[in-house]
Amino acid sequence: MIVKRMLPFVLALGLLVGGCGTTVVNPVTGESERTTMDESAELAEGKKAHAEVLKEYGVYQDARLQAYVNEVGQKLAKQSHRANIPWTFTVLDSSEINAFALPGGYVYVTRGILAYMENEADMAGVIGHEIGHVTARHGAQRATRQQTAGLGVLAATVLGAVLESKVGVSGGTEMFGQMAQGVAAGYVAKYSREQELQADTLGAEYLARSQYDPRHMIDVIRVLKLQEAFAIDEARAAGQPAPERDSWLSSHPSNDQRLQSISQNAAKYQGTFASDGSQRFMQMIDGVRFGESPEQGLTRGQNFYHPAMGITMAAPAGWRIENAADALTFTSPQGDAALRVLAVPPNAGNTHDDIIRNALQPSEGKTTRGNINGFTATHFVGARKGSNGQPQALEATLVTGPKQNTFVMLYLSVDPAARQRAMPGMMAAEKSFRAMNAADQQAARPWVVRLVPFPRGGFAELARQSAVPEKRLQLLNGTYGRSDPPVGQMVKVVKAE
């Protein structure tokens, strides 16, 4: 499950924008700049936000891999413009293809992005780029820019966090349509084009100083371009629009522009560089978890399994399953309606009526008692007061499943016509809720990356013994739309374990 990566920092910014500014010297440019966040504030706010990131994402539980990533990160940081500050490098337990940094020297890579890298130098390119954001004080510059914009742009985000804390249901802000929160989060989550290109330039510099060939920055962008091409091809094959970028690329400039800029920067560095570290890197990711984790739920085709909670659900034909940190969503083929499933925390209430009153906070409506595959359920149809004070239609089903966990299923749509069209699908998804059985437990085995020699039968042969199809294996090995590796070369496959 994935959360909006910048929320902790957004909240920290909310505390800083009202503070007095000061003048500091930028470690990279040597120029003075007015800021609301000096170095001591960077370190303090970064530490606070770091705790929130770990809470939301979770640390990937592999001490050897964590130590390896930290070793590479520390080597790069020592060659940076801010070797004097403490640096923290963390692998997050997320399948998202992502990497990001917080002020104060906190850098994160997901296990998802590591699975698609080919060698240590590629990984160093990703980390070096994120180090560049910290050394150039891009996060602090965002905080200062936010003060110029005023508190208004952050109000919805802070209000949303307060609402969720009060209501006790994660995702509550989004479910009731407070769109301003997304606008605010998007504003602070994106660096400017100039900042991204500067981070690329700094990343190449730090790679060269650490004896990595800066041209590996080019390889990283090419890997990510393949991700985009694959997603577009998959959407086309399914008759769906091209997906929005939801990865490390989503906050970065055009890849073509970046390739041109990085190529020019890399050409400046001549000389002999160390090995790309491919053998060591491949050994480190052998056995790394691939895709979703059992702790956050697993999607297998049109089925969703949550072993920890003991539940399974199924999406109707043509519907998409989106498993995020705060919710499980079944989205209609048209993308204009969805059934969103949220786990209800214990403090929301002891009964369904308590939960409806405390979490959904309706202004009017009626309930109908029933059951779903033997589990007590309550269906609610009514309205609640929206953020603008106007009544807002609200329809939801609560069900208490195995282990006495209660879930709320929200019926969402862009308009009444979309709701009516999608209602059979939403009801089918809701009625699929049931306890996992032995066959489900077998289907919900986690996937891991394994290394095998590339066979004469190519990826088609590998796909027969892998948990993912041929094209995904090509993407995983950086050969999607390109020629196959030589027979006998070690390549990555995905196995169920």
Side-chain angles (χ1 to χ4, degrees), residues 371-417:
N371 77 83
I372 301 175
N373 294 313
F375 295 109
T376 302
T378 302
H379 190 72
F380 176 86
V381 179
R384 75 182 301 275
K385 220 176 246 188
S387 57
N388 58 1
Q390 297 300 310
Q392 195 173 55
L394 173 62
E395 183 171 2
T397 296
L398 280 75
V399 58
T400 299
K403 305 180 183 180
Q404 293 304 300
N405 289 313
T406 298
F407 304 86
V408 58
M409 306 183 193
L410 291 156
Y411 287 64
L412 306 175
S413 63
V414 297
D415 55 43

Side-chain angles (χ1 to χ4, degrees), residues 435-480:
M436 289 179 63
N437 57 32
D440 297 325
Q441 295 288 349
Q442 184 70 10
R445 289 183 299 160
W447 293 347
V448 298
V449 173
R450 289 298 180 195
L451 303 181
V452 299
F454 191 69
R456 294 189 181 278
F459 284 106
E461 180 179 335
L462 283 180
R464 290 195 288 272
Q465 53 181 295
S466 179
V468 298
E470 181 179 351
K471 289 183 179 179
R472 175 68 69 176
L473 287 177
Q474 292 173 334
L475 181 67
L476 185 63
N477 287 282
T479 62
Y480 183 70

Side-chain angles (χ1 to χ4, degrees), residues 32-109:
S32 296
E33 58 187 34
R34 194 70 177 168
T35 182
T36 58
M37 187 186 286
D38 60 17
E39 185 169 287
S40 62
E42 271 192 87
L43 296 173
E45 295 305 326
K47 185 176 181 180
K48 292 178 188 176
H50 175 63
E52 291 299 318
V53 169
L54 299 188
K55 179 180 177 182
E56 296 294 346
Y57 278 90
V59 175
Y60 182 54
Q61 298 301 316
D62 184 330
R64 192 175 67 125
L65 184 63
Q66 293 285 354
Y68 173 56
V69 170
N70 181 64
E71 175 193 323
V72 173
Q74 296 296 346
K75 179 165 67 172
L76 291 163
K78 284 179 182 177
Q79 300 299 326
S80 76
H81 293 83
R82 301 184 74 180
N84 60 304
I85 67 172
W87 289 85
T88 302
F89 298 90
T90 307
V91 182
L92 299 175
D93 188 11
S94 169
S95 61
E96 185 181 30
I97 299 169
N98 211 350
F100 59 98
L102 293 176
Y106 294 91
V107 176
Y108 310 89
V109 294

Side-chain angles (χ1 to χ4, degrees), residues 301-321:
Q302 292 299 99
N303 298 304
F304 174 80
Y305 305 98
H306 202 301
M309 292 182 171
I311 64 167
T312 180
M313 295 183 71
W319 285 57
R320 298 191 309 276
I321 300 176

Side-chain angles (χ1 to χ4, degrees), residues 183-426:
V183 173
Y187 176 83
V188 298
K190 293 182 183 295
Y191 294 109
S192 71
R193 181 177 67 175
E194 290 74 19
Q195 287 174 328
E196 291 292 0
L197 294 177
Q198 184 183 32
D200 283 339
T201 300
L202 291 170
E205 179 180 344
Y206 301 154
L207 256 66
R209 289 183 182 181
S210 304
Q211 291 301 300
Y212 294 111
D213 190 335
R215 286 175 295 184
H216 282 281
M217 294 285 292
I218 301 172
D219 294 337
V220 170
I221 303 305
R222 285 178 175 156
V223 166
L224 298 174
K225 278 175 68 69
L226 287 180
Q227 293 284 335
E228 287 186 324
F230 180 82
I232 292 170
D233 290 347
E234 290 281 284
R236 256 187 219 139
Q240 297 171 349
E244 294 183 6
R245 297 184 298 175
D246 183 23
S247 68
W248 196 58
L249 297 169
S250 62
S251 60
H252 292 65
S254 156
N255 288 315
D256 292 331
Q257 179 187 8
R258 292 185 72 194
L259 274 175
Q260 181 180 2
S261 175
I262 290 173
S263 297
Q264 292 171 349
N265 284 324
K268 298 176 184 177
Y269 300 97
Q270 303 295 327
T272 302
F273 299 101
S275 162
D276 63 10
S278 58
Q279 184 175 357
R280 186 184 181 203
F281 177 83
M282 295 291 269
Q283 290 173 346
M284 287 293 176
I285 65 165
D286 186 19
V288 74
R289 185 172 288 167
F290 184 83
E292 299 159 319
S293 67
E295 293 79 14
Q296 297 174 341
L298 303 162
T299 305
R300 299 289 184 259
Q302 292 299 99
N303 298 304
F304 174 80
Y305 305 98
H306 202 301
M309 292 182 171
I311 64 167
T312 180
M313 295 183 71
W319 285 57
R320 298 191 309 276
I321 300 176
E322 299 169 20
N323 180 24
D326 52 2
L328 170 68
T329 306
F330 297 88
T331 305
S332 68
Q334 295 79 15
D336 56 5
L339 182 76
R340 178 159 296 171
V341 185
L342 301 121
V344 178
N347 62 359
N350 296 321
T351 67
H352 287 186
D353 288 341
D354 288 343
I355 295 168
I356 290 171
R357 182 172 54 255
N358 297 332
L360 302 186
Q361 297 184 330
S363 55
E364 58 179 297
K366 63 178 182 179
T367 58
T368 305
R369 309 298 181 187
N371 77 83
I372 301 175
N373 294 313
F375 295 109
T376 302
T378 302
H379 190 72
F380 176 86
V381 179
R384 75 182 301 275
K385 220 176 246 188
S387 57
N388 58 1
Q390 297 300 310
Q392 195 173 55
L394 173 62
E395 183 171 2
T397 296
L398 280 75
V399 58
T400 299
K403 305 180 183 180
Q404 293 304 300
N405 289 313
T406 298
F407 304 86
V408 58
M409 306 183 193
L410 291 156
Y411 287 64
L412 306 175
S413 63
V414 297
D415 55 43
R419 178 180 294 252
Q420 184 176 5
R421 184 171 57 246
M423 187 58 72
M426 289 193 283

